[in-house]
Amino acid sequence: MSLNSNENIHTARFLLIGLVLALVFSTLGIGCARLEGWGVVIWSVKGTTAKAGAVVPVYLKSNISKTYVIGLPDDSKAKIEVPLSTLEFFSLKNAAEKRAKEFAPFASLYLSAGRDGLPVREKPSVSTRRVYRLRLGESVKVLSKVDGEAVFTGGRALPGEWYFVQATDGTRGYVFSNTMVLYEEKENAAAPVIGTSPAPSAALLDMIYAQPWRPAYYQLMLDDDAVDPDLFALQYGLFADAKNSQVRIELPGYSSVFRFSSVSQGGDWLIFEGSKLRVRFENESTIVADWSGTDSVLPDEGWGSNAQSARFIKLDTSIPVVLSGENSRRDSELKAFFQRSAMAQSNSTSASTSTSTITFLSDLAGILSIDARGTFEWSHTDQLPAGFAPEILAGSAGAAIPGAPATGAPTIASPASNAPASSAATASVPIKGKIRFGLHLGTSLSSAWMGGFSLLVGDKPDREDYVYRFENGQLVIAKASPVTLRGTTESLDSRFSFVNYYLVVK
């Protein structure tokens, strides 16, 4: 072997050793990535030792993938990728350790939403802006307990605490714990999980829960100045109760409570899971509630007998104020009736209206007495066909408590076509109750009749409506068909003829 050959072999060996060392140092360089800083774990990383409250090294932050690359407390070689919301970042380790010490009392604590739609707020006050809406069973991470505004309902303070929390997407805010479940993360327990069903628009849910929704026919009554106090009442509407996860619907002839587990969205509909109810917005002030599963065509009134869907509106008008005005009008109609009675008796505009009770007599229709306080008594009705006068419940004396309010709405359904005759036993008992003047008459009736009144007996849920006029010194009354959802009486009950009464002179 020549000298040149030996030199070539030594050169090759040095090159090979250099290559090997370069590869080794390159590998070591990859494994010893530059440390970016330190993090305090907020949400425990499932399946690892990176539990809430732990301090971990941070090697990389990616704003593109919204992740950190971190090390694990018990494994210096391990590198894992976690969402940015998993931890709080610090440049210095002692700053991270200080924060971990502050966080330690709350590191294992979570809050779970006890009802759908709970808000996470900007500040610890129910009057501040909502920054996040929780689904039923969704968990948030407790960061600290804070002082906040007292929360009241029905004039009493609710028990509970304000907590500063973080949702899994990183949103932070404040929640009141009254309707939430505080729990502690246990060793080897599964990390909290959020449901994945389609979430509805938070703005739409806010609108549903914010206030009662009133039947659409309320606006028709207001527009036509034809409010009927039994149909335009505080009891009717759609009432969504997020706290108790239920929606109550009250309408004339219908009452139901829909209990739901959560709210999802399917197309235009908000679906109240676990019930038949779904709701969609026609516009920002009108909704349609449906529990039939079909797309029903609704009338202008938004509700009909035996329907399984209804239209509701956001009503800005105060119902008590409207009813107060309507009741005042009806009180005036009672006084007008007394004045017309006095005029019919004397045929003089100067007739006295000071009497407190007026009595009318008919050979066919018995004796009808009306008191200025708004009560009536009707006796000797045995000659009347059944259904003309109010029925008396079995075992009842027919007496109503003077001054008692009406307890129910007028019947919406059409009357039966064939009515049986009244029994003498029932007819011999005087019928007593409340009389309320001021029916709103449709165009076809208002031209032929002076007005109308309703009779309400005891605690019966129905009322009987009549129209009246004075003619040739006599009171003429006729049975009216049930009032419509527009608040007007449009026709007479075709089963019955008119009844004439003479005024009894005292």
Side-chain angles (χ1 to χ4, degrees):
M1 184 178 293
S2 67
L3 180 61
N4 287 337
S5 298
N6 289 332
E7 288 178 353
N8 290 336
I9 293 172
H10 284 298
T11 301
R13 286 177 179 173
F14 279 120
L15 289 174
L16 180 60
I17 292 171
L19 179 60
V20 170
L21 289 175
L23 290 172
V24 169
F25 283 121
S26 175
T27 303
L28 289 175
I30 293 174
C32 299
R34 184 170 62 88
L35 191 68
E36 291 281 343
W38 298 85
V40 177
V41 178
I42 300 301
W43 281 85
S44 296
V45 181
K46 185 178 180 181
T48 75
T49 55
K51 301 296 184 184
V55 176
V56 296
V58 177
Y59 296 106
L60 178 68
K61 177 182 179 181
S62 172
N63 290 320
I64 297 176
S65 61
K66 305 296 183 184
T67 59
Y68 287 115
V69 174
I70 66 171
L72 296 178
D74 62 341
D75 187 348
S76 60
K77 296 181 179 180
K79 305 291 186 296
I80 63 171
E81 192 175 42
V82 297
L84 294 182
S85 59
T86 302
L87 53 85
E88 291 180 5
F89 176 81
F90 297 87
S91 298
L92 302 175
K93 186 175 183 179
N94 60 353
E97 290 174 339
K98 181 180 178 181
R99 172 61 181 133
K101 186 176 181 180
E102 295 171 351
F103 181 51
F106 308 98
S108 63
L109 297 182
Y110 295 81
L111 282 163
S112 176
R115 63 177 174 84
D116 195 58
L118 281 177
V120 178
R121 298 195 178 276
E122 187 176 41
K123 295 180 180 179
S125 168
V126 294
S127 61
T128 60
R129 185 174 66 93
R130 177 189 55 77
V131 296
Y132 189 87
R133 178 177 289 280
L134 294 167
R135 305 291 302 280
L136 176 66
E138 181 177 350
S139 291
V140 289
K141 183 70 193 69
V142 174
L143 301 179
S144 63
K145 186 165 69 173
V146 299
D147 294 328
E149 177 184 80
V151 179
F152 291 86
T153 183
R156 65 181 183 87
L158 290 175
E161 304 284 349
W162 282 100
Y163 288 91
F164 184 46
V165 300
Q166 177 180 302
T168 51
D169 70 350
T171 301
R172 292 188 171 191
Y174 298 85
V175 296
F176 190 65
S177 65
N178 179 261
T179 51
M180 304 193 77
V181 177
L182 182 67
Y183 69 94
E184 187 174 1
E185 183 180 21
K186 300 295 185 180
E187 189 69 23
N188 299 321
V193 177
I194 293 180
T196 58
S197 57
S201 163
L204 295 185
L205 278 176
D206 279 342
M207 293 172 68
I208 291 290
Y209 291 134
Q211 64 182 27
W213 290 79
R214 300 299 179 180
Y217 68 78
Y218 279 26
Q219 192 61 55
L220 298 179
M221 288 187 177
L222 291 172
D223 292 344
D224 296 339
D225 195 21
V227 170
D228 187 289
D230 287 337
L231 294 172
F232 191 98
L234 286 169
Q235 74 191 70
Y236 294 129
L238 181 147
F239 309 90
D241 182 355
K243 179 178 180 180
N244 295 305
S245 298
Q246 66 180 32
V247 177
R248 179 167 55 89
I249 293 180
E250 302 285 348
L251 290 161
Y254 181 82
S255 175
S256 186
V257 175
F258 298 90
R259 293 179 173 83
F260 60 91
S261 58
S262 62
V263 184
S264 62
Q265 190 156 4
D268 294 335
W269 293 95
L270 295 177
I271 301 168
F272 290 79
E273 303 287 355
S275 76
K276 295 182 178 180
L277 181 66
R278 57 180 184 160
V279 173
R280 66 175 171 85
F281 279 79
E282 290 189 334
N283 53 59
E284 65 178 10
S285 59
T286 307
I287 62 174
V288 171
D290 176 81
W291 52 101
S292 69
T294 63
D295 292 326
S296 305
V297 177
L298 293 171
D300 290 342
E301 293 82 1
W303 172 245
S305 179
N306 299 318
Q308 295 187 69
S309 59
R311 182 177 291 112
F312 297 89
I313 60 171
K314 185 187 297 183
L315 189 71
D316 296 327
T317 304
S318 168
I319 293 176
V321 169
V322 172
L323 291 178
S324 177
E326 178 62 17
N327 289 333
S328 295
R329 185 191 72 83
R330 292 185 180 240
D331 288 342
S332 298
E333 287 293 321
L334 173 62
K335 295 176 182 177
F337 178 82
F338 269 71
Q339 185 176 20
R340 289 164 180 162
S341 298
M343 291 170 61
Q345 176 182 343
S346 61
N347 196 27
S348 169
T349 57
S350 61
S352 171
T353 59
S354 60
T355 181
S356 62
T357 304
I358 49 178
T359 302
F360 301 92
L361 175 65
S362 168
D363 292 338
L364 178 64
I367 302 171
L368 176 63
S369 296
I370 300 174
D371 190 277
R373 296 175 300 173
T375 61
F376 78 94
E377 179 176 320
W378 198 352
S379 62
H380 301 86
T381 58
D382 52 298
Q383 297 300 311
L384 284 170
F388 189 90
E391 296 181 359
I392 301 175
L393 297 176
S396 169
I401 300 174
T407 58
T411 303
I412 303 299
S414 300
S417 58
N418 297 312
S422 299
S423 67
T426 301
S428 65
V429 179
I431 305 167
K432 300 179 182 180
K434 293 277 292 181
I435 186 168
R436 187 169 63 201
F437 283 83
L439 286 180
H440 296 282
L441 304 185
T443 304
S444 61
L445 294 181
S446 59
S447 60
W449 301 89
M450 292 181 175
F453 58 85
S454 303
L455 300 182
L456 305 105
V457 179
D459 58 357
K460 285 188 63 179
D462 301 329
R463 78 186 196 199
E464 304 293 338
D465 293 334
Y466 303 82
V467 294
Y468 78 89
R469 65 176 177 241
F470 287 96
E471 187 175 274
N472 300 323
Q474 297 182 39
L475 171 67
V476 183
I477 69 172
K479 187 73 176 289
S481 297
V483 67
T484 70
L485 288 176
R486 289 179 177 267
T488 53
T489 303
E490 297 292 341
S491 61
L492 300 181
D493 190 329
S494 59
R495 297 176 299 167
F496 307 109
S497 301
F498 303 167
V499 172
N500 290 51
Y501 281 97
Y502 291 97
L503 180 65
V504 176
V505 180
K506 294 188 177 180

PDB file of all heavy atoms in Angstrom, residues 49 101 120 370 405 468 485:
ATOM      1  N   THR A  49     -50.072  14.613  32.708  1.00  0.00           N
ATOM      2  CA  THR A  49     -49.855  15.153  34.058  1.00  0.00           C
ATOM      3  C   THR A  49     -49.959  16.670  34.081  1.00  0.00           C
ATOM      4  O   THR A  49     -49.700  17.297  35.117  1.00  0.00           O
ATOM      5  CB  THR A  49     -48.455  14.738  34.553  1.00  0.00           C
ATOM      6  OG1 THR A  49     -47.464  15.157  33.602  1.00  0.00           O
ATOM      7  CG2 THR A  49     -48.391  13.226  34.754  1.00  0.00           C
ATOM      8  N   LYS A 101     -49.505  29.782  42.630  1.00  0.00           N
ATOM      9  CA  LYS A 101     -49.791  29.798  44.061  1.00  0.00           C
ATOM     10  C   LYS A 101     -51.130  30.502  44.336  1.00  0.00           C
ATOM     11  O   LYS A 101     -51.921  30.054  45.160  1.00  0.00           O
ATOM     12  CB  LYS A 101     -48.648  30.488  44.806  1.00  0.00           C
ATOM     13  CG  LYS A 101     -48.772  30.427  46.320  1.00  0.00           C
ATOM     14  CD  LYS A 101     -47.552  31.037  46.986  1.00  0.00           C
ATOM     15  CE  LYS A 101     -47.678  30.958  48.510  1.00  0.00           C
ATOM     16  NZ  LYS A 101     -46.477  31.547  49.180  1.00  0.00           N
ATOM     17  N   VAL A 120     -72.649  34.249  30.916  1.00  0.00           N
ATOM     18  CA  VAL A 120     -71.382  34.672  31.509  1.00  0.00           C
ATOM     19  C   VAL A 120     -71.291  36.163  31.225  1.00  0.00           C
ATOM     20  O   VAL A 120     -71.399  36.584  30.065  1.00  0.00           O
ATOM     21  CB  VAL A 120     -70.184  33.927  30.878  1.00  0.00           C
ATOM     22  CG1 VAL A 120     -68.869  34.422  31.483  1.00  0.00           C
ATOM     23  CG2 VAL A 120     -70.329  32.428  31.073  1.00  0.00           C
ATOM     24  N   ILE A 370    -131.252  44.196  37.721  1.00  0.00           N
ATOM     25  CA  ILE A 370    -129.865  44.615  37.517  1.00  0.00           C
ATOM     26  C   ILE A 370    -129.530  45.702  38.524  1.00  0.00           C
ATOM     27  O   ILE A 370    -130.275  46.685  38.666  1.00  0.00           O
ATOM     28  CB  ILE A 370    -129.644  45.119  36.081  1.00  0.00           C
ATOM     29  CG1 ILE A 370    -129.963  43.999  35.080  1.00  0.00           C
ATOM     30  CG2 ILE A 370    -128.206  45.607  35.902  1.00  0.00           C
ATOM     31  CD1 ILE A 370    -129.914  44.439  33.631  1.00  0.00           C
ATOM     32  N   PRO A 405    -114.563  39.091  40.591  1.00  0.00           N
ATOM     33  CA  PRO A 405    -114.166  39.297  39.200  1.00  0.00           C
ATOM     34  C   PRO A 405    -114.527  38.109  38.337  1.00  0.00           C
ATOM     35  O   PRO A 405    -114.748  37.006  38.829  1.00  0.00           O
ATOM     36  CB  PRO A 405    -112.642  39.450  39.288  1.00  0.00           C
ATOM     37  CG  PRO A 405    -112.279  38.652  40.505  1.00  0.00           C
ATOM     38  CD  PRO A 405    -113.427  38.819  41.462  1.00  0.00           C
ATOM     39  N   TYR A 468    -128.685  44.354  23.445  1.00  0.00           N
ATOM     40  CA  TYR A 468    -129.954  44.936  23.912  1.00  0.00           C
ATOM     41  C   TYR A 468    -130.255  46.224  23.163  1.00  0.00           C
ATOM     42  O   TYR A 468    -129.375  46.872  22.592  1.00  0.00           O
ATOM     43  CB  TYR A 468    -129.904  45.204  25.422  1.00  0.00           C
ATOM     44  CG  TYR A 468    -129.129  46.448  25.801  1.00  0.00           C
ATOM     45  CD1 TYR A 468    -129.767  47.699  25.877  1.00  0.00           C
ATOM     46  CD2 TYR A 468    -127.753  46.402  26.060  1.00  0.00           C
ATOM     47  CE1 TYR A 468    -129.057  48.845  26.206  1.00  0.00           C
ATOM     48  CE2 TYR A 468    -127.041  47.535  26.392  1.00  0.00           C
ATOM     49  CZ  TYR A 468    -127.701  48.759  26.463  1.00  0.00           C
ATOM     50  OH  TYR A 468    -127.009  49.896  26.779  1.00  0.00           O
ATOM     51  N   LEU A 485    -111.801  36.553  18.415  1.00  0.00           N
ATOM     52  CA  LEU A 485    -110.490  36.949  18.927  1.00  0.00           C
ATOM     53  C   LEU A 485    -110.110  38.364  18.498  1.00  0.00           C
ATOM     54  O   LEU A 485    -109.053  38.863  18.902  1.00  0.00           O
ATOM     55  CB  LEU A 485    -109.420  35.968  18.463  1.00  0.00           C
ATOM     56  CG  LEU A 485    -109.457  34.591  19.147  1.00  0.00           C
ATOM     57  CD1 LEU A 485    -108.406  33.670  18.544  1.00  0.00           C
ATOM     58  CD2 LEU A 485    -109.246  34.720  20.642  1.00  0.00           C
TER      59      LEU A 485
END
